[in-house]
Amino acid sequence: MEPIKIKLDKSNELLTDLMPRKFGPQGRLWVGFLLLVIIIGAVAYYRQLKHGLVVTDMRDFTSWGIYISNFVFFVAISLVGSLVSAILKLTNVAWRTPLVRISEIIAVAAITFAAIIIIVDMGRPDRFWHLFVYGRIQSPILWDVIVITTYFVVSCLLLYIPLLPDIAVCRDTAPASPRWKKRFYTFLALNWKGTSKQYAIIHKSINVLAVLVVPLALGIHTVTSWLFATTYRAGWDSSNFGPYFVAGAFQAGCAGVIAVTFVLRNHYNLRKYITNKHFDNLGKLLVLLSLIYLYFNINEYLVPGYKMKTVDGEHLHSLFRGSYAPLFWSVQIFGMILPIIVLLFKKGRKPLPIFIVSILVVVGAWFKRFLIVIPTLLHPFIPIQNVPESWHHYVPTWEEWAITSASLAGALLIITIFVRLFPIISIWETTEEKMNATATQTGDQTQFYGA
Amino acid sequence: MDEEQSNSRRSFIKTGLITGAIAAGGLGIMEVASQDTSKKKGDTVKLLSPDGKIVEVDSSEINPQIPDSLISTHNVREGVPGKKFVMVIDLAKCKNAGRCKSACSKMHYLPETRSYIKINKMQDSDKASPYWMPTPCFHCDNPPCVKVCPVGATFKLTDGIVGIDNDRCIGCRFCMVACPYSARVFNWDTEYQINVVRFKEIKEHAACSTHVTGTVEKCDFCPTKAAKNELPDCVQACPNGVFYFGDENEDVVSNGDETVRLSQLLKDKSGYRFLEDLGTKPRVYYLPPVDRQFPFKDVEPGTT
């Protein structure tokens, strides 16, 4: 294989366009805002540690709340990494290149906070180590611990290994001062020289990891669904739950990468690399994923809704016509039906409309997890009685909202810091594509890289 | 390993007796020691067998020795040897007096508003009259809570009891969502946690939870009482004899007033288990609410 030569002088427009830049006023304001949200969350968590989980609105019946639904949301979002860097790669989708790194950092950030939020939910976080000392492999929680840890490691590798040549570029172009910066990149670049042998290793590793990460991605979300499906509860006791969760996760993840890509493209002026054609393709992908999710939703709600077994029926009634109906129908319409309709039209797949639709899908996906977790717990087999009135409902307290918001802010902060330190679009892969395009003389590259 | 420890303790006690150099370390040891000496081989006891014959058995075969660890320093992972505890709840007799709940709260040092037993208003169909159904933990033989616990903090004991180790529980609450009967409660706040040192002084309660903050607890079938062949407090407190408690191996249950054969009682009165179709195999049976002793009155005394 021919080594990829990346010119390190000013004549290489890839460097001027794609190298990480210092935060402007907007960037500093954004980071400040995220830090503020995280600090408020930290205060709330301190209160939770001090007083116990009583600061939440979880009680003996709703014993899982928005921490768990937020956890499921993070696991769902993290599937985008495998979608773009593995599934689209293995199916030879050429337009994925500028999106790979964005989706992989979303995956790493999301799975990190999935792990953190599950510790927040524990009544005894100080005993977290019990999972490793006394762990029982029979418990779905242990399966989740294993598969999430593995997915985290593989996702980090899928982010880091293809980043090596670009870290080397950072190392070689970084000014002499500050010295920590030069040292930082030198350390992370792992003595990258850009030889053809090194490139061969990288390509091989990425291929192996791409194949590996697909079953892992299916695994993390299927196992997460089993945390619910292995119980007897109405609304969870479903053999449909694994694929239903996976389908929802791909839809949410795809919308997540569209939203983040739109913001980065506008802020860093990447229109040359992320074109309208990319959004058009992502829009088509999101329609497909939404249609699959719609199919599973019909299965999940119509089949038990047709039978209306006693407890199932009460649960479904609360979703269809009861206290959760406004939320349920908003989520189904704005998070699933509307995106399908809008994105079927070419005009709907222009960057701005697709960005708005993606935000709707992501917000809808968050509340969908809420609707999966909480109403079920309010409909146990023996109806809730003889408890204080407030135990019949679940309204998250400010502490829960603060901690949950902080986890979302934390994930966004990871993405922000990453963008500040590394090129968010792969310089070497873009160079490689340009080389290949000129070599084969297809002349088609203007479609993607033309103005 | 636990068994080894208690064995070595017992042999230590025996050695102490032989040398006559025993320095009594506490009443508990004295009790066990005296039990040890009173149960010599060769003493026989006359008993009435289930089929009506009088049989003589060696006294060492009945009331197997209660491990010291169950009474003084209760080991939550140790069942009472030779027992299979079982409960029968006669729904025809329950009028929601609420005494089981208050007795349970007292026994377990819970505030009046908290109890491991719930008394639920149930109605099987629109046309049937409602009835009261007390629900303790069912101590299932196929327990969903035990299956899902990630750290083995809840487990099935040899005596049928589903136990909880509050020093191991990580507070993930998976067992609470796995239990179809909502039998488990969580220590959401620090309010009820009992000072362990003070708690150890109350020997007869050594087996009950100290309400460790951030962990799960539930009805424990009062293992200290059961080990001493006494009835749990809820059974004793019920003014209407709703609860029968006993040993499936002996095929005997008692509500304090009458002692009956378990198999005959279930056969005669169509004993059933709640949500049998879930396959959890509860150790708590119900007798149907027919030929009621009380008319149904929708009052909830002693509840908030």
Side-chain angles (χ1 to χ4, degrees):
Chain A
M1 176 176 282
E2 214 180 314
I4 295 154
K5 296 233 165 51
I6 303 167
K7 278 193 283 180
L8 294 176
D9 52 44
K10 289 232 166 99
S11 68
N12 188 351
E13 62 169 3
L14 285 181
L15 294 196
T16 47
D17 289 347
L18 300 179
M19 285 301 275
R21 271 166 266 171
K22 281 200 172 123
F23 290 134
Q26 271 185 325
R28 280 198 291 272
L29 195 68
W30 169 243
V31 172
F33 166 72
L34 292 180
L35 284 174
L36 182 71
V37 176
I38 291 170
I39 288 166
I40 296 171
V43 171
Y45 188 54
Y46 171 74
R47 277 180 51 78
Q48 181 179 311
L49 284 180
K50 195 173 158 204
H51 302 289
L53 282 169
V54 73
V55 302
T56 71
D57 199 43
M58 291 185 278
R59 292 297 180 262
D60 287 348
F61 289 92
T62 32
S63 53
W64 282 350
I66 56 171
Y67 295 153
I68 294 289
S69 65
N70 193 37
F71 161 76
V72 180
F73 171 78
F74 273 130
V75 175
I77 287 287
S78 79
L79 253 67
V80 69
S82 69
L83 173 71
V84 177
S85 50
I87 296 176
L88 293 190
K89 181 185 174 62
L90 298 172
T91 47
N92 286 325
V93 174
W95 50 267
R96 59 182 263 285
T97 313
L99 306 171
V100 175
R101 201 164 284 164
I102 298 174
S103 38
E104 209 54 59
I105 185 62
I106 295 175
V108 170
I111 203 73
T112 305
F113 275 90
I116 290 173
I117 205 73
I118 210 74
I119 297 173
V120 168
D121 182 71
M122 285 168 63
R124 299 297 298 233
D126 53 315
R127 295 180 182 169
F128 185 72
W129 57 277
H130 284 195
L131 280 171
F132 305 101
V133 181
Y134 304 115
R136 282 175 75 248
I137 198 66
Q138 299 94 320
S139 167
I141 286 189
L142 249 278
W143 309 342
D144 226 11
V145 169
I146 293 167
V147 77
I148 283 179
T149 318
T150 318
Y151 187 70
F152 174 76
V153 171
V154 174
S155 292
C156 284
L157 289 175
L158 263 173
L159 179 69
Y160 182 50
I161 293 178
L163 194 60
L164 283 172
D166 285 3
I167 299 176
V169 173
C170 293
R171 175 195 63 193
D172 300 336
T173 56
S177 72
R179 274 175 72 192
W180 69 265
K181 210 165 179 185
K182 193 102 182 162
R183 279 195 198 151
F184 172 73
Y185 287 124
T186 312
F187 175 75
L188 282 182
L190 299 180
N191 202 21
W192 178 266
K193 290 199 185 74
T195 62
S196 49
K197 199 177 166 194
Q198 282 182 324
Y199 274 113
I201 293 174
I202 276 206
H203 279 291
K204 204 170 180 181
S205 319
I206 298 172
N207 280 336
V208 171
L209 289 171
V211 175
L212 261 179
V213 83
V214 176
L216 269 176
L218 295 180
I220 54 165
H221 220 46
T222 307
V223 168
T224 302
S225 83
W226 288 346
L227 295 183
F228 307 98
T230 50
T231 70
Y232 297 90
R233 301 266 176 169
W236 293 355
D237 183 9
S238 158
S239 51
N240 192 23
F241 243 43
Y244 168 56
F245 267 46
V246 171
F250 278 133
Q251 190 225 18
C254 183
V257 78
I258 293 171
V260 174
T261 305
F262 179 84
V263 172
L264 290 175
R265 170 181 118 124
N266 279 11
H267 189 74
Y268 289 103
N269 208 4
L270 302 171
R271 286 185 175 76
K272 213 191 292 178
Y273 305 91
I274 303 165
T275 62
N276 287 4
K277 181 74 188 156
H278 284 97
F279 283 97
D280 192 66
N281 286 333
L282 282 169
K284 286 176 187 161
L285 185 62
L286 188 55
V287 171
L288 173 69
L289 295 169
S290 299
L291 281 169
I292 297 173
Y293 194 41
L294 175 68
Y295 165 76
F296 278 107
N297 269 276
I298 292 171
N299 271 279
E300 196 52 44
Y301 292 109
L302 182 72
V303 175
Y306 191 89
K307 291 178 280 194
M308 281 292 189
K309 289 197 293 190
T310 321
V311 188
D312 271 344
E314 281 165 24
H315 167 244
L316 288 176
H317 195 272
S318 78
L319 293 179
F320 294 164
R321 293 169 62 191
S323 51
Y324 285 106
L327 189 58
F328 178 79
W329 291 113
S330 305
V331 162
Q332 298 294 59
I333 290 166
F334 295 110
M336 200 165 57
I337 312 283
L338 190 74
I340 294 172
I341 295 170
V342 171
L343 300 180
L344 274 178
F345 296 96
K346 196 159 180 71
K347 274 188 185 163
R349 297 195 295 271
K350 292 257 182 258
L352 186 64
I354 197 180
F355 170 69
I356 295 167
V357 165
S358 298
I359 293 290
L360 285 179
V361 172
V362 172
V363 175
W366 195 91
F367 282 101
K368 183 66 190 289
R369 272 76 193 160
F370 180 92
L371 287 170
I372 289 174
V373 175
I374 285 98
T376 282
L377 289 171
L378 289 169
H379 293 97
F381 286 108
I382 303 174
I384 303 175
Q385 45 193 311
N386 295 328
V387 292
E389 167 59 23
S390 66
W391 291 27
H392 290 263
H393 318 282
Y394 171 71
V395 183
T397 58
W398 78 263
E399 284 92 345
E400 285 175 279
W401 285 119
I403 292 171
T404 305
S405 307
S407 71
L408 295 163
L412 290 172
L413 188 65
I414 290 186
I415 299 171
T416 311
I417 292 173
F418 181 85
V419 176
R420 171 68 190 82
L421 293 173
F422 304 104
I424 192 63
I425 293 178
S426 173
I427 294 175
W428 71 273
E429 279 169 300
T430 311
T431 314
E432 186 189 30
E433 275 195 355
K434 278 192 169 179
M435 275 167 53
N436 291 347
T438 12
T440 51
Q441 291 293 324
T442 52
D444 197 38
Q445 77 271 33
T446 48
Q447 192 187 343
F448 299 115
Y449 302 110
Chain B
M1 205 174 92
D2 293 331
E3 207 163 293
E4 264 174 38
Q5 272 176 355
S6 61
N7 277 339
S8 65
R9 184 184 292 152
R10 239 170 274 145
S11 62
F12 164 78
I13 293 164
K14 276 178 188 153
T15 321
L17 278 172
I18 291 161
T19 54
I22 182 166
L27 199 59
I29 292 177
M30 287 299 283
E31 275 169 10
V32 175
S34 60
Q35 268 178 14
D36 253 354
T37 46
S38 69
K39 262 190 209 163
K40 280 184 198 141
K41 275 256 174 194
D43 287 354
T44 53
V45 178
K46 282 183 182 165
L47 290 175
L48 189 67
S49 77
D51 46 354
K53 288 175 193 155
I54 291 175
V55 288
E56 267 191 25
V57 294
D58 194 289
S59 67
S60 65
E61 281 173 29
I62 57 165
N63 289 337
Q65 189 195 3
I66 304 154
D68 173 40
S69 57
L70 269 174
I71 294 165
S72 57
T73 54
H74 177 68
N75 174 2
V76 289
R77 289 172 190 273
E78 199 174 347
V80 183
K83 299 280 187 183
K84 274 275 184 223
F85 295 116
V86 65
M87 187 181 262
V88 182
I89 298 174
D90 190 348
L91 297 174
K93 294 179 187 166
C94 182
K95 67 163 187 180
N96 191 19
R99 301 281 176 76
C100 54
K101 286 165 72 170
S102 48
C104 174
S105 304
K106 197 174 164 212
M107 152 74 191
H108 292 100
Y109 292 86
L110 287 161
E112 274 290 305
T113 49
R114 269 169 82 90
S115 162
Y116 296 148
I117 304 177
K118 296 182 184 73
I119 305 177
N120 304 282
K121 178 186 170 184
M122 302 296 275
Q123 190 170 13
D124 291 342
S125 72
D126 292 345
K127 296 207 169 66
S129 141
Y131 60 91
W132 296 108
M133 184 174 84
T135 50
C137 170
F138 289 167
H139 297 275
C140 304
D141 279 345
N142 184 19
C145 51
V146 170
K147 273 192 211 168
V148 300
C149 180
V151 292
T154 187
F155 32 75
K156 191 77 183 160
L157 302 175
T158 53
D159 55 13
I161 289 176
V162 172
I164 295 181
D165 181 349
N166 287 93
D167 294 328
R168 182 173 298 180
C169 175
I170 60 170
C172 70
R173 311 189 293 291
F174 199 0
C175 55
M176 296 178 75
V177 300
C179 174
Y181 317 109
S182 313
R184 290 173 167 250
V185 296
F186 190 74
N187 292 306
W188 298 100
D189 46 22
T190 47
E191 203 181 325
Y192 308 124
Q193 183 158 349
I194 300 171
N195 180 325
V196 177
V197 180
R198 187 175 77 80
F199 199 75
K200 285 265 160 68
E201 292 164 8
I202 317 160
K203 208 172 292 165
E204 59 174 315
H205 289 129
C208 109
S209 166
T210 54
H211 315 313
V212 183
T213 306
T215 63
V216 177
E217 55 188 51
K218 63 167 185 70
C219 156
D220 54 8
F221 263 9
C222 295
T224 348
K225 291 280 169 92
K228 289 190 283 189
N229 280 328
E230 288 174 17
L231 293 169
D233 285 43
C234 53
V235 181
Q236 292 187 38
C238 179
N240 305 315
V242 171
F243 297 89
Y244 293 80
F245 187 82
D247 182 0
E248 197 182 344
N249 289 345
E250 283 184 82
D251 197 21
V252 163
V253 287
S254 169
N255 67 353
D257 296 331
E258 52 169 353
T259 302
V260 287
R261 281 182 67 186
L262 171 71
S263 54
Q264 202 63 45
L265 183 68
L266 296 179
K267 214 179 281 173
D268 293 348
K269 294 203 168 176
S270 301
Y272 70 96
R273 297 187 290 194
F274 185 64
L275 297 179
E276 178 76 44
D277 55 329
L278 295 184
T280 53
K281 300 191 168 66
R283 297 200 68 75
V284 172
Y285 291 84
Y286 285 98
L287 304 182
V290 290
D291 300 330
R292 313 269 185 95
Q293 293 192 356
F294 308 96
F296 182 86
K297 259 191 274 170
D298 201 347
V299 282
E300 293 175 7
T303 55
T304 50

